[in-house]
Amino acid sequence: MATGSRTVRPRSSVWLSERKAPKRKGDQQPVGLDHLKIVAATMRLLDAEGLSGFSMRRLAAELGVTAMSVYWYVETKDHLLELALDAAMGEIALPMEAVGPVEGHEHSPAEPRDWREQLRQLAAEYRQVMVRHSWLPALLGEYLNIGPNAVVFSNAALAVMRNSGLPDDKITSALSLVYQFVYGFGTIEGRFAARCRAAGLTQDELFHETMSSVADRMEFDESRKIMKARGGNTVEEMRDRDFTFALDLAIAGIEALRDR
């Protein structure tokens, strides 16, 4: 696509690359290293230090090898981040009715059969993986997300929504509602959790400290009443209540429009 005199090309994807390992004179494939180890170490570093603290040099040090050893297995840092993104998507436990047995994917021992319960499971799992890996939301906007785990997740979500009875031309719109809600909720939750870890505070401690500071500087009576009515003794309980009811609202809206 051309914009004025500038040609804009899509970012290359590891899933579309046909690149082979380098065969330069004197190069030898590193012993004891493979894709699984590299991706696992990448995810550990991202969890600990975030995207801003991640580099190929830092990864190589974590693995105890040279940076060139890593490049035997991945062409670029972007490709490596794509692999980490798809590995995180593979942590999502999917409803077995929607996908059947899939090697490498976790499954709950007792799977709900109703599409609403399956959708709640997908949403809850999607939320958890974004909170567990607070770097994940940023990557979802940067890469194609067409790895094998992402494709299995997408197909499962389509199968669940098709069981809702919505016509095919409305399925992606309904999924967008759920995806974007969970993305926003999980992103904020994950960033807050990361901030608490960096500050050496629990989420409850930072929440109450922030609320006390705000209450001292602003007219907060009405908001305080709403927060009290919200219920929950901890930040986690409050978030779970909000998430559950908001998702119920989304499902109710899908049902209402389906039946209209």
Side-chain angles (χ1 to χ4, degrees), residues 35-111:
H35 270 105
L36 290 177
K37 289 181 180 178
I38 292 171
V39 173
T42 297
M43 294 176 74
R44 286 197 304 271
L45 277 177
L46 289 169
D47 288 343
E49 302 181 16
L51 282 167
S52 61
F54 179 80
S55 68
M56 297 297 271
R57 186 182 299 275
R58 179 72 182 83
L59 174 64
E62 176 77 10
L63 291 166
V65 299
T66 65
M68 280 309 302
S69 297
V70 178
Y71 285 114
W72 264 93
Y73 296 92
V74 288
E75 185 174 1
T76 66
K77 178 182 173 181
D78 283 332
H79 284 189
L80 183 54
L81 292 176
E82 271 193 287
L83 292 170
L85 166 59
D86 196 62
M89 296 297 292
E91 295 176 1
I92 297 175
L94 303 172
M96 285 196 295
E97 295 92 346
V99 296
V102 177
E103 184 179 354
H105 277 267
E106 301 175 5
H107 293 91
S108 303
E111 296 289 344

Coordinates of all heavy atoms in Angstrom, one line a residue, residues 35-111:
H35 N 13.9 -24.5 20.0 CA 12.8 -23.5 20.0 C 12.1 -23.4 21.3 O 11.8 -22.3 21.8 CB 11.8 -23.7 18.8 CG 12.2 -23.1 17.5 ND1 12.7 -23.8 16.5 CD2 12.1 -21.8 17.1 CE1 13.0 -22.9 15.5 NE2 12.6 -21.7 15.8
L36 N 11.8 -24.6 21.8 CA 11.0 -24.6 23.1 C 11.7 -23.9 24.2 O 11.1 -23.1 25.0 CB 10.7 -26.0 23.5 CG 9.6 -26.8 22.6 CD1 9.5 -28.2 23.0 CD2 8.3 -26.0 22.5
K37 N 13.0 -24.2 24.4 CA 13.8 -23.6 25.4 C 13.9 -22.1 25.2 O 13.8 -21.3 26.2 CB 15.2 -24.2 25.5 CG 15.2 -25.6 26.0 CD 16.6 -26.2 26.1 CE 16.6 -27.6 26.6 NZ 18.0 -28.2 26.6
I38 N 14.1 -21.6 24.0 CA 14.2 -20.2 23.7 C 12.9 -19.5 24.0 O 12.9 -18.4 24.6 CB 14.7 -20.0 22.2 CG1 16.1 -20.5 22.0 CG2 14.6 -18.5 21.8 CD1 16.6 -20.6 20.6
V39 N 11.8 -20.0 23.5 CA 10.5 -19.4 23.8 C 10.2 -19.3 25.2 O 9.7 -18.3 25.8 CB 9.4 -20.1 22.9 CG1 8.0 -19.5 23.3 CG2 9.7 -19.9 21.4
A40 N 10.5 -20.4 26.0 CA 10.2 -20.5 27.4 C 11.0 -19.4 28.1 O 10.5 -18.7 29.0 CB 10.5 -21.9 28.0
A41 N 12.3 -19.3 27.8 CA 13.1 -18.3 28.4 C 12.6 -16.9 28.0 O 12.7 -15.9 28.9 CB 14.6 -18.4 28.0
T42 N 12.2 -16.7 26.8 CA 11.7 -15.4 26.4 C 10.5 -15.0 27.2 O 10.4 -13.8 27.7 CB 11.2 -15.5 24.9 OG1 12.4 -15.7 24.1 CG2 10.6 -14.2 24.5
M43 N 9.6 -15.9 27.5 CA 8.4 -15.6 28.2 C 8.7 -15.3 29.7 O 8.1 -14.4 30.3 CB 7.4 -16.8 28.1 CG 6.8 -17.0 26.7 SD 5.7 -18.4 26.6 CE 4.3 -17.8 27.4
R44 N 9.7 -16.0 30.2 CA 10.1 -15.8 31.6 C 10.6 -14.3 31.7 O 10.3 -13.6 32.7 CB 11.2 -16.8 32.1 CG 10.7 -18.2 32.4 CD 11.7 -19.0 33.2 NE 13.0 -19.0 32.5 CZ 13.3 -20.0 31.7 NH1 12.4 -20.9 31.3 NH2 14.5 -20.0 31.1
L45 N 11.5 -13.9 30.8 CA 12.0 -12.6 30.8 C 11.0 -11.5 30.6 O 11.0 -10.5 31.3 CB 13.1 -12.4 29.7 CG 14.5 -13.0 30.0 CD1 15.4 -12.8 28.8 CD2 15.1 -12.2 31.2
L46 N 10.0 -11.8 29.7 CA 9.0 -10.8 29.5 C 8.1 -10.7 30.7 O 7.7 -9.6 31.1 CB 8.1 -11.2 28.3 CG 8.8 -11.1 26.9 CD1 7.9 -11.8 25.8 CD2 9.0 -9.6 26.5
D47 N 7.8 -11.8 31.4 CA 7.0 -11.7 32.6 C 7.7 -10.9 33.7 O 7.1 -10.2 34.5 CB 6.7 -13.2 33.1 CG 5.7 -13.9 32.3 OD1 5.0 -13.3 31.5 OD2 5.7 -15.2 32.4
A48 N 9.0 -11.1 33.8 CA 9.8 -10.5 34.8 C 10.1 -9.0 34.6 O 10.1 -8.2 35.5 CB 11.1 -11.2 35.1
E49 N 10.4 -8.7 33.3 CA 10.9 -7.4 33.0 C 10.1 -6.6 32.0 O 10.4 -5.4 31.7 CB 12.4 -7.5 32.5 CG 13.3 -8.2 33.5 CD 14.7 -8.3 33.0 OE1 15.1 -7.6 32.0 OE2 15.5 -9.1 33.6
G50 N 9.1 -7.2 31.4 CA 8.3 -6.5 30.4 C 9.0 -6.3 29.1 O 10.1 -6.7 28.9
L51 N 8.2 -5.8 28.1 CA 8.8 -5.6 26.8 C 9.9 -4.6 26.8 O 10.9 -4.8 26.0 CB 7.7 -5.1 25.8 CG 6.7 -6.1 25.3 CD1 5.5 -5.4 24.7 CD2 7.3 -7.0 24.3
S52 N 9.9 -3.6 27.6 CA 10.9 -2.6 27.6 C 12.3 -3.2 28.1 O 13.3 -2.6 27.7 CB 10.5 -1.4 28.5 OG 10.3 -1.8 29.8
G53 N 12.2 -4.2 28.9 CA 13.5 -4.8 29.5 C 14.0 -6.0 28.7 O 15.0 -6.6 29.1
F54 N 13.3 -6.3 27.6 CA 13.7 -7.5 26.9 C 14.6 -7.1 25.7 O 14.3 -6.2 25.0 CB 12.4 -8.2 26.3 CG 12.7 -9.4 25.5 CD1 13.0 -10.6 26.1 CD2 12.7 -9.4 24.1 CE1 13.3 -11.8 25.4 CE2 13.0 -10.5 23.4 CZ 13.3 -11.7 24.0
S55 N 15.6 -8.0 25.5 CA 16.5 -7.8 24.3 C 17.0 -9.2 24.0 O 17.1 -10.1 24.8 CB 17.6 -6.8 24.6 OG 18.5 -7.4 25.6
M56 N 17.5 -9.3 22.8 CA 18.1 -10.6 22.4 C 19.4 -10.8 23.2 O 19.7 -12.0 23.5 CB 18.4 -10.6 20.9 CG 17.2 -10.4 20.0 SD 16.1 -11.8 20.1 CE 16.8 -12.9 18.9
R57 N 20.1 -9.8 23.5 CA 21.4 -9.9 24.3 C 21.0 -10.4 25.7 O 21.7 -11.3 26.2 CB 22.1 -8.6 24.4 CG 23.5 -8.7 25.1 CD 24.1 -7.3 25.1 NE 24.3 -6.8 23.8 CZ 25.4 -7.0 23.1 NH1 26.3 -7.8 23.5 NH2 25.5 -6.5 21.9
R58 N 19.9 -9.9 26.3 CA 19.5 -10.3 27.6 C 19.0 -11.7 27.6 O 19.3 -12.5 28.5 CB 18.4 -9.3 28.1 CG 17.8 -9.7 29.4 CD 18.8 -9.4 30.6 NE 18.2 -9.7 31.8 CZ 18.3 -10.9 32.4 NH1 18.9 -11.9 31.7 NH2 17.8 -11.2 33.5
L59 N 18.4 -12.1 26.5 CA 17.9 -13.5 26.4 C 19.0 -14.4 26.3 O 19.1 -15.5 26.9 CB 17.0 -13.6 25.1 CG 16.5 -15.0 24.8 CD1 15.7 -15.6 25.9 CD2 15.8 -15.0 23.4
A60 N 20.0 -14.1 25.5 CA 21.2 -15.0 25.3 C 21.9 -15.2 26.7 O 22.3 -16.3 27.0 CB 22.2 -14.3 24.3
A61 N 22.0 -14.1 27.4 CA 22.6 -14.2 28.8 C 21.8 -15.1 29.7 O 22.4 -16.0 30.4 CB 22.8 -12.8 29.4
E62 N 20.5 -15.1 29.6 CA 19.6 -15.9 30.4 C 19.8 -17.4 30.0 O 19.8 -18.3 30.8 CB 18.2 -15.5 30.1 CG 17.1 -16.4 30.8 CD 17.0 -16.1 32.3 OE1 17.6 -15.1 32.8 OE2 16.3 -16.9 33.0
L63 N 20.1 -17.6 28.7 CA 20.3 -19.0 28.2 C 21.7 -19.5 28.4 O 22.0 -20.7 28.2 CB 19.8 -19.1 26.7 CG 18.3 -18.9 26.5 CD1 18.1 -18.7 25.0 CD2 17.6 -20.2 26.9
G64 N 22.6 -18.5 28.7 CA 24.0 -18.9 28.8 C 24.7 -19.2 27.4 O 25.6 -20.0 27.3
V65 N 24.2 -18.5 26.4 CA 24.8 -18.6 25.1 C 25.1 -17.2 24.5 O 24.8 -16.2 25.1 CB 23.8 -19.4 24.1 CG1 23.6 -20.8 24.7 CG2 22.5 -18.6 23.9
T66 N 25.6 -17.2 23.3 CA 25.9 -15.9 22.6 C 24.6 -15.6 21.8 O 23.7 -16.4 21.6 CB 27.0 -16.1 21.6 OG1 26.6 -17.0 20.5 CG2 28.3 -16.5 22.2
A67 N 24.5 -14.3 21.5 CA 23.3 -13.8 20.8 C 23.2 -14.5 19.4 O 22.1 -14.8 19.0 CB 23.4 -12.3 20.6
M68 N 24.3 -14.8 18.8 CA 24.3 -15.5 17.5 C 23.7 -16.9 17.6 O 23.1 -17.4 16.6 CB 25.7 -15.5 16.9 CG 26.1 -14.2 16.2 SD 24.9 -13.6 15.0 CE 24.8 -14.9 13.9
S69 N 23.9 -17.5 18.8 CA 23.3 -18.8 18.9 C 21.8 -18.8 18.9 O 21.2 -19.7 18.3 CB 23.7 -19.4 20.3 OG 25.1 -19.6 20.4
V70 N 21.2 -17.7 19.4 CA 19.8 -17.6 19.3 C 19.3 -17.4 17.9 O 18.3 -17.9 17.5 CB 19.3 -16.4 20.2 CG1 17.8 -16.2 20.1 CG2 19.7 -16.6 21.6
Y71 N 20.1 -16.7 17.1 CA 19.7 -16.4 15.7 C 19.8 -17.7 14.8 O 19.4 -17.6 13.6 CB 20.6 -15.3 15.1 CG 20.2 -13.9 15.6 CD1 21.0 -13.2 16.5 CD2 19.0 -13.4 15.3 CE1 20.7 -12.0 16.9 CE2 18.6 -12.2 15.8 CZ 19.4 -11.4 16.6 OH 19.1 -10.2 17.1
W72 N 20.3 -18.8 15.3 CA 20.2 -20.0 14.6 C 18.8 -20.5 14.5 O 18.4 -21.1 13.6 CB 21.0 -21.1 15.4 CG 22.4 -21.4 14.9 CD1 23.5 -20.8 15.3 CD2 22.7 -22.3 13.8 NE1 24.6 -21.3 14.6 CE2 24.1 -22.2 13.7 CE3 22.0 -23.1 13.0 CZ2 24.8 -22.9 12.7 CZ3 22.7 -23.8 12.0 CH2 24.1 -23.7 11.9
Y73 N 18.0 -20.0 15.5 CA 16.6 -20.5 15.6 C 15.5 -19.5 15.2 O 14.4 -19.9 14.8 CB 16.3 -21.0 17.0 CG 17.2 -22.2 17.3 CD1 18.4 -22.0 17.9 CD2 16.8 -23.5 17.0 CE1 19.2 -23.1 18.3 CE2 17.6 -24.6 17.3 CZ 18.8 -24.4 17.9 OH 19.6 -25.5 18.2
V74 N 15.8 -18.2 15.4 CA 14.9 -17.2 15.0 C 15.6 -16.1 14.2 O 16.7 -15.7 14.5 CB 14.2 -16.6 16.3 CG1 13.2 -17.5 16.9 CG2 15.2 -16.1 17.3
E75 N 14.9 -15.6 13.2 CA 15.6 -14.6 12.3 C 15.6 -13.3 13.0 O 16.6 -12.5 12.8 CB 14.8 -14.5 11.0 CG 15.4 -13.7 10.0 CD 14.6 -13.7 8.6 OE1 13.6 -14.5 8.6 OE2 15.1 -13.1 7.7
T76 N 14.6 -12.8 13.7 CA 14.5 -11.5 14.3 C 13.9 -11.5 15.6 O 13.3 -12.5 16.0 CB 13.7 -10.6 13.4 OG1 12.3 -11.0 13.4 CG2 14.2 -10.5 11.9
K77 N 14.1 -10.5 16.4 CA 13.4 -10.3 17.6 C 11.9 -10.3 17.5 O 11.2 -10.9 18.3 CB 13.8 -9.0 18.3 CG 13.1 -8.7 19.6 CD 13.6 -7.3 20.2 CE 12.8 -6.9 21.4 NZ 13.3 -5.6 21.9
D78 N 11.4 -9.7 16.4 CA 9.9 -9.7 16.1 C 9.4 -11.2 16.0 O 8.4 -11.5 16.5 CB 9.6 -9.0 14.8 CG 9.7 -7.4 15.1 OD1 9.4 -7.0 16.2 OD2 10.0 -6.7 14.1
H79 N 10.2 -12.0 15.3 CA 9.7 -13.4 15.1 C 9.7 -14.1 16.4 O 8.8 -14.9 16.7 CB 10.7 -14.1 14.1 CG 10.5 -13.7 12.7 ND1 11.1 -14.4 11.7 CD2 9.7 -12.8 12.1 CE1 10.7 -13.9 10.5 NE2 9.8 -12.9 10.8
L80 N 10.6 -13.8 17.3 CA 10.7 -14.5 18.6 C 9.5 -14.0 19.4 O 8.8 -14.8 20.1 CB 12.0 -14.1 19.3 CG 12.2 -14.7 20.7 CD1 12.0 -16.3 20.6 CD2 13.6 -14.4 21.2
L81 N 9.1 -12.7 19.4 CA 8.0 -12.2 20.1 C 6.7 -12.9 19.6 O 5.7 -13.2 20.3 CB 7.9 -10.7 20.0 CG 9.0 -10.0 20.8 CD1 8.9 -8.5 20.6 CD2 8.9 -10.3 22.3
E82 N 6.6 -13.1 18.3 CA 5.5 -13.8 17.7 C 5.3 -15.2 18.3 O 4.2 -15.7 18.5 CB 5.6 -13.9 16.2 CG 5.0 -12.8 15.4 CD 4.9 -13.1 13.9 OE1 6.0 -13.1 13.3 OE2 3.8 -13.3 13.4
L83 N 6.5 -15.9 18.4 CA 6.4 -17.2 19.0 C 6.0 -17.2 20.4 O 5.2 -18.1 20.8 CB 7.8 -17.9 18.9 CG 8.4 -18.2 17.4 CD1 9.8 -18.5 17.5 CD2 7.5 -19.3 16.8
A84 N 6.4 -16.2 21.2 CA 6.0 -16.1 22.6 C 4.5 -15.8 22.6 O 3.8 -16.3 23.5 CB 6.8 -15.0 23.3
L85 N 4.0 -14.9 21.7 CA 2.6 -14.6 21.7 C 1.8 -15.9 21.5 O 0.8 -16.1 22.2 CB 2.3 -13.6 20.6 CG 0.9 -13.4 20.1 CD1 0.0 -12.9 21.2 CD2 0.9 -12.4 18.9
D86 N 2.2 -16.7 20.5 CA 1.4 -17.9 20.2 C 1.5 -18.9 21.4 O 0.5 -19.7 21.7 CB 1.8 -18.6 18.9 CG 0.8 -19.5 18.4 OD1 -0.3 -19.1 18.1 OD2 1.1 -20.7 18.3
A87 N 2.7 -19.0 22.0 CA 2.8 -19.9 23.2 C 1.9 -19.5 24.3 O 1.3 -20.4 25.0 CB 4.3 -19.9 23.7
A88 N 1.7 -18.2 24.5 CA 0.8 -17.7 25.5 C -0.7 -18.1 25.1 O -1.4 -18.5 26.0 CB 0.9 -16.2 25.7
M89 N -1.0 -18.0 23.9 CA -2.4 -18.4 23.4 C -2.6 -19.9 23.6 O -3.7 -20.3 23.9 CB -2.5 -18.0 21.9 CG -2.5 -16.5 21.6 SD -3.8 -15.6 22.4 CE -5.2 -16.2 21.5
G90 N -1.5 -20.6 23.6 CA -1.7 -22.1 23.9 C -1.9 -22.4 25.3 O -2.3 -23.6 25.6
E91 N -1.8 -21.5 26.2 CA -2.2 -21.7 27.6 C -3.7 -21.7 27.9 O -4.1 -22.0 29.0 CB -1.4 -20.7 28.5 CG 0.1 -20.8 28.5 CD 0.8 -19.7 29.3 OE1 0.0 -18.9 29.9 OE2 2.0 -19.7 29.3
I92 N -4.4 -21.2 26.9 CA -5.9 -21.1 27.1 C -6.6 -22.4 27.1 O -6.4 -23.1 26.1 CB -6.5 -20.1 26.1 CG1 -5.8 -18.7 26.2 CG2 -8.0 -20.0 26.2 CD1 -6.3 -17.7 25.1
A93 N -7.3 -22.8 28.1 CA -8.0 -24.0 28.1 C -9.3 -23.8 27.4 O -10.1 -23.0 27.7 CB -8.3 -24.4 29.6
L94 N -9.5 -24.6 26.3 CA -10.6 -24.5 25.4 C -11.8 -25.5 25.7 O -11.5 -26.6 26.2 CB -10.2 -24.7 24.0 CG -9.0 -23.8 23.5 CD1 -8.5 -24.2 22.1 CD2 -9.5 -22.3 23.5
P95 N -13.0 -25.1 25.4 CA -14.1 -26.0 25.6 C -13.9 -27.2 24.6 O -13.8 -27.0 23.4 CB -15.4 -25.2 25.2 CG -14.9 -23.8 25.4 CD -13.5 -23.8 25.0
M96 N -13.9 -28.4 25.1 CA -13.7 -29.6 24.3 C -14.8 -29.7 23.2 O -14.5 -30.3 22.1 CB -13.5 -30.8 25.1 CG -12.2 -30.9 25.9 SD -11.8 -32.6 26.5 CE -13.1 -32.8 27.7
E97 N -16.0 -29.3 23.5 CA -17.0 -29.5 22.5 C -16.7 -28.6 21.3 O -17.1 -29.0 20.2 CB -18.4 -29.0 23.1 CG -18.9 -29.8 24.2 CD -18.5 -29.3 25.6 OE1 -17.6 -28.4 25.6 OE2 -19.1 -29.7 26.6
A98 N -16.0 -27.5 21.5 CA -15.7 -26.6 20.4 C -14.5 -27.0 19.5 O -14.4 -26.7 18.4 CB -15.5 -25.2 20.9
V99 N -13.6 -27.8 20.1 CA -12.4 -28.1 19.4 C -12.0 -29.6 19.4 O -11.3 -30.0 18.5 CB -11.1 -27.4 20.0 CG1 -11.3 -25.9 19.9 CG2 -10.9 -27.8 21.5
G100 N -12.6 -30.4 20.3 CA -12.2 -31.8 20.4 C -10.8 -31.8 21.0 O -10.2 -30.8 21.3
P101 N -10.2 -33.0 21.1 CA -8.8 -33.2 21.6 C -7.8 -32.5 20.7 O -7.8 -32.7 19.5 CB -8.6 -34.7 21.7 CG -10.0 -35.3 21.5 CD -10.8 -34.3 20.7
V102 N -7.0 -31.6 21.3 CA -6.0 -30.9 20.6 C -4.7 -31.1 21.3 O -4.5 -30.7 22.5 CB -6.3 -29.4 20.4 CG1 -5.1 -28.7 19.7 CG2 -7.6 -29.2 19.6
E103 N -3.7 -31.6 20.7 CA -2.4 -31.9 21.3 C -1.8 -30.5 21.8 O -1.7 -29.6 21.0 CB -1.4 -32.6 20.4 CG -0.1 -33.0 21.0 CD 0.8 -33.7 20.1 OE1 0.3 -34.1 19.0 OE2 2.0 -34.0 20.4
G104 N -1.3 -30.5 23.0 CA -0.6 -29.3 23.5 C -1.5 -28.3 24.2 O -1.1 -27.3 24.7
H105 N -2.9 -28.5 24.1 CA -3.8 -27.6 24.8 C -4.4 -28.3 26.0 O -4.6 -29.5 26.1 CB -5.0 -27.3 23.8 CG -4.7 -26.2 22.9 ND1 -5.0 -24.9 23.1 CD2 -4.0 -26.2 21.7 CE1 -4.6 -24.1 22.1 NE2 -4.0 -24.9 21.2
E106 N -4.5 -27.4 27.0 CA -5.1 -27.9 28.3 C -6.6 -27.9 28.1 O -7.2 -27.2 27.4 CB -4.8 -26.9 29.4 CG -3.3 -26.8 29.7 CD -3.0 -25.7 30.7 OE1 -3.9 -25.2 31.3 OE2 -1.8 -25.4 30.9
H107 N -7.3 -28.8 28.9 CA -8.7 -28.9 28.8 C -9.2 -29.1 30.3 O -8.6 -29.8 31.0 CB -9.2 -30.1 28.0 CG -8.9 -29.9 26.5 ND1 -7.8 -30.3 25.9 CD2 -9.6 -29.2 25.5 CE1 -7.8 -30.0 24.6 NE2 -8.9 -29.4 24.4
S108 N -10.3 -28.4 30.6 CA -10.9 -28.6 31.9 C -11.5 -30.0 32.0 O -12.0 -30.6 31.0 CB -12.0 -27.6 32.1 OG -11.5 -26.3 31.9
P109 N -11.5 -30.6 33.2 CA -12.0 -32.0 33.3 C -13.5 -32.1 33.1 O -14.0 -33.1 32.6 CB -11.7 -32.3 34.8 CG -11.5 -31.0 35.5 CD -11.0 -30.1 34.4
A110 N -14.3 -31.1 33.4 CA -15.7 -31.1 33.2 C -16.1 -29.9 32.4 O -16.0 -28.7 32.8 CB -16.5 -31.0 34.5
E111 N -16.4 -30.1 31.1 CA -16.6 -29.0 30.2 C -18.1 -28.7 30.1 O -19.0 -29.5 30.0 CB -16.1 -29.4 28.8 CG -14.6 -29.7 28.7 CD -13.8 -28.4 28.8 OE1 -14.4 -27.3 28.7 OE2 -12.6 -28.5 29.1

